[in-house]
Amino acid sequence: MACVIGYDYVVVGAGTAGSVLAARLSQDAAVRVLLIEAGSAEIEAPVRTPRAWVSLMGSSADWNDVSVTQAATGVSYPLPRGRGIGGSSSINGMVFLRGHHSSYDAWGQAGARGWGFADLLPFFRRSESTQGRDPSVRGVHGPMRVAPASRPHPVSVAGVEAAVEAGHARAADPAGGLQEGAGLHDLTIVAGRRQSAADAYLRPVLCRSNLDVVTDAFVHRLRMVGDRCVGVCYSLGGEEVTVDCSGEVVLAAGAIGSPHLLMLSGIGPSEHLRDVGVDVVVDLPGVGANFQDHPQTSIVYSAAAPIPVSRNNHGEASVLWRSELTGWPDLQALFVTLPYHSPALHGPAEGYSIAVSLMTPRSRGWVRLASREPDVAPLVNPNYLRDSRDVEALVLGLQRAREIGEARALSAWRGSEVLPGPGLRDASALRKHVHESLTTYFHYAGTCRIGSDEEAVVDDHLRVHAVHGLRVADASVMPSIVSANTNAAVLAIAERAADLMSQNPPYGSQRRLPHPQRPPFRVIR
Ligand SMILES: Cc1cc2nc3c(=O)[nH]c(=O)nc-3n(C[C@H](O)[C@H](O)[C@H](O)COP(=O)(O)OP(=O)(O)OC[C@H]3O[C@@H](n4cnc5c(N)ncnc54)[C@H](O)[C@@H]3O)c2cc1C
């Protein structure tokens, strides 16, 4: 067993949040940062081509998780999540949206002080670089370069016009914080290539001598001394490596990985931990609870004319509107420039889709241990459609999306509606379609939520309740899922986390650094 010492911060997971944290924390040359990632350092070349993202699901860059069988549908669903530098941002769909400000203000109202939209706005702005947008709301100097498609696909353009024809407002800036209406949204694509959080934040700072990044290293346990986290254990090439951390460990392993690791380390719901044979260190019932995702259904059309091959991500334009079941926009239609639908259904060989997602689901699921053995994947139950209001909202979504799909502006491309099929119009037929066509929108969140009540996992500063030296900063801390694709929100969460941590560094600024004993293998520079 090798032992590694001398780090002030140990960040677990080099995904969206981990890339931000490692880059921001290591800006202070007086602290030493170790970033540990289970996956590999480089993702294959085709992955860089934006339109190839669909084929990354099921690849070695995916953990290849599968949900437990869902009570509402009788089906278990693949739950892709990224494994490797950049994490899910290396395999995601590259849509860049913040969501409506109300969905962040709801966090503050639910007890997460300091996490309303106005509190997060500086961190959204700090994370991004945009041009031609309102600079009081959007960032212009941040690492993540985002922009709408410069040469949008004709189906995306026609889709926006069809939405306007169907009565939706034209959104001046879909990511502005009052996200509602139709428009070409921003994409995390630069010069025709995918841009992950690691490309934007981490790769440019790998030369820093106070930052080490270890890949192919699976963290399987937190090292606890009483209620203090003093480091982590990871396995690398069959060898176990122990890391001593003199400051803080930060979990950025994502909404499935972070609760998994906490529970493997004895931090979680005590009864469940005892059931699987894990010694309880801290009883925190909320760990792994409150799992949320945006459920998705779709309308699929065959093509009346050959559909040009996308140069982008197949999803350049969207519409957001209110179902009238909530106080803010809760339904999103994404124009997809290929026949995109559940693999359980048969679509046309050539065509396009309107993917309809519920952005404020009521259903809540969980992540639990299947075994105390770290290499056994956790059980994930999203509880899709468990709350019947989610089904009703998606039915309303399909009806409204159909109005868009049938508008004149799309007539040049529209062959016929293939899914659910033009004859299926009443609510009960559409409810059936929602169940049969259900897929994930890949936006897992909420399993280590911020708050001060008994079910909360971290406090307002993202410190794990009743544990010293340990924070969580990733998609899992969202008290409720935001009303947009989640990557932009995770960037802002991690920016704010780094800011909070820098205000209270583990040591004063006047210390002499011990020389870190570096991890033995695969440190990337
Ligand atoms: C297929 C797909 C498409 C998506 N499309 C979009 C989109 O178009 N727009 C959008 O905004 N969002 C999208 N998302 C969601 C978005 O990318 C995620 O919400 C975001 O990346 C989550 O960031 P995170 O830091 O919480 O987790 P991740 O980015 O998943 O990072 C977690 C990291 O931790 C590592 N890790 C986990 N466990 C361990 C361990 N035990 N030891 C060491 N390392 C570990 C993982 O390998 C991973 O690198 C998509 C996601 C997927 C999977």
Side-chain angles (χ1 to χ4, degrees):
M1 182 192 293
C3 183
V4 175
I5 57 168
Y7 291 96
D8 301 308
Y9 294 118
V10 173
V11 180
V12 179
T16 299
S19 297
V20 177
L21 286 158
R24 292 303 190 199
L25 294 173
S26 63
Q27 276 175 347
D28 179 354
V31 298
R32 304 232 179 226
V33 181
L34 175 64
L35 174 64
I36 309 174
E37 167 56 43
S40 68
E42 262 316 322
I43 293 199
E44 306 296 317
V47 176
R48 297 310 192 126
T49 308
R51 69 168 181 267
W53 74 270
V54 183
S55 63
L56 293 173
M57 291 182 263
S59 74
S60 61
D62 178 0
W63 285 80
N64 290 298
D65 292 321
V66 178
S67 78
V68 302
T69 303
Q70 295 296 277
T73 61
V75 174
S76 62
Y77 296 87
L79 299 173
R81 61 176 167 125
R83 180 180 182 130
I85 293 288
S88 296
S89 74
S90 287
I91 68 166
N92 74 7
M94 292 153 284
V95 172
F96 193 82
L97 287 164
R98 290 178 185 171
H100 198 268
H101 68 84
S102 303
S103 64
Y104 297 89
D105 294 339
W107 297 359
Q109 287 151 15
R113 278 172 307 159
W115 290 91
F117 186 76
D119 303 305
L120 277 170
L121 186 56
F123 302 100
F124 277 118
R125 293 182 66 243
R126 190 179 290 183
S127 71
E128 65 179 11
S129 182
T130 59
Q131 290 189 339
R133 307 287 203 190
D134 175 359
S136 69
V137 187
R138 303 298 306 273
V140 288
H141 298 302
M144 186 61 90
R145 292 158 65 194
V146 300
S150 55
R151 296 170 66 190
H153 193 283
V155 171
S156 307
V157 175
V160 172
E161 295 311 314
V164 172
E165 199 182 317
H168 295 272
R170 212 179 279 279
D173 176 1
L178 284 171
Q179 191 191 326
E180 190 159 10
L184 293 172
H185 47 240
D186 289 344
L187 306 172
T188 49
I189 297 175
V190 175
R193 284 164 68 83
R194 150 191 293 285
Q195 176 198 213
S196 69
D199 296 328
Y201 279 87
L202 186 60
R203 293 191 201 281
V205 302
L206 285 175
C207 54
R208 286 183 188 157
S209 59
N210 64 332
L211 171 64
D212 288 330
V213 184
V214 190
T215 58
D216 303 290
F218 176 66
V219 177
H220 51 80
R221 194 165 45 85
L222 303 173
R223 297 185 54 235
M224 301 294 297
V225 174
D227 61 3
R228 175 168 290 279
C229 180
V230 296
V232 303
C233 295
Y234 65 83
S235 46
L236 195 157
E239 184 173 8
E240 179 155 327
V241 181
T242 300
V243 180
D244 271 353
C245 175
S246 41
E248 287 186 302
V249 172
V250 194
L251 296 188
I256 295 174
S258 287
H260 186 209
L261 197 44
L262 284 172
M263 288 189 279
L264 287 172
S265 310
I267 302 169
S270 54
E271 206 174 315
H272 168 58
L273 296 185
R274 281 192 203 101
D275 284 349
V276 287
V278 173
D279 291 339
V280 178
V281 177
V282 176
D283 178 20
L284 267 188
V287 173
N290 193 44
F291 182 101
Q292 294 167 55
D293 186 12
H294 296 136
Q296 188 173 78
T297 176
S298 55
I299 306 180
V300 185
Y301 297 90
S302 63
I307 306 275
V309 174
S310 172
R311 289 164 192 271
N312 280 315
N313 64 338
H314 296 295
E316 305 162 345
S318 54
V319 195
L320 214 101
W321 73 93
R322 297 163 197 240
S323 67
E324 292 170 10
L325 298 174
T326 55
W328 65 80
D330 60 338
L331 287 164
Q332 187 201 73
L334 178 74
F335 296 100
V336 188
T337 58
L338 80 176
Y340 184 77
H341 54 78
S342 157
L345 300 176
H346 297 289
E350 188 165 15
Y352 58 93
S353 299
I354 305 179
V356 179
S357 304
L358 177 61
M359 309 314 275
T360 56
R362 261 64 169 230
S363 302
R364 300 287 182 264
W366 44 255
V367 175
R368 288 190 195 146
L369 294 177
S371 161
R372 57 184 280 184
E373 298 304 324
D375 46 3
V376 176
L379 298 172
V380 186
N381 181 4
N383 256 335
Y384 291 126
L385 309 183
R386 189 58 191 259
D387 188 315
S388 60
R389 290 172 294 182
D390 292 355
V391 181
E392 297 313 310
L394 283 167
V395 167
L396 292 173
L398 283 169
Q399 288 167 336
R400 196 86 173 93
R402 217 178 216 165
E403 291 170 21
I404 300 170
E406 292 173 357
R408 201 182 52 248
L410 275 163
S411 58
W413 301 104
R414 188 173 55 240
S416 60
E417 182 186 307
V418 178
L419 294 170
L424 298 183
R425 301 208 81 89
D426 63 55
S428 72
L430 292 180
R431 272 183 213 114
K432 188 162 173 282
H433 178 67
V434 167
H435 284 85
E436 288 173 355
S437 64
L438 185 81
T439 56
T440 170
Y441 204 5
F442 322 112
H443 298 156
Y444 329 122
T447 47
C448 300
R449 73 169 167 83
I450 307 170
S452 52
D453 57 291
E454 275 189 2
E455 287 277 321
V457 175
V458 295
D459 68 10
D460 299 335
H461 286 224
L462 307 184
R463 295 172 293 218
V464 176
H465 285 301
V467 179
H468 297 284
L470 181 63
R471 302 199 201 214
V472 183
D474 57 25
S476 68
V477 304
M478 294 183 196
S480 49
I481 192 167
V482 293
S483 64
N485 314 53
T486 38
N487 201 36
V490 177
L491 290 174
I493 288 169
E495 284 278 12
R496 180 144 200 270
D499 194 67
L500 289 168
M501 293 169 72
S502 307
Q503 287 167 18
N504 289 301
Y507 301 98
S509 54
Q510 302 297 320
R511 73 191 178 97
R512 288 176 66 80
L513 285 170
H515 194 70
Q517 180 196 335
R518 293 222 153 90
F521 308 109
R522 294 184 207 158
V523 176
I524 64 166
R525 289 226 162 267

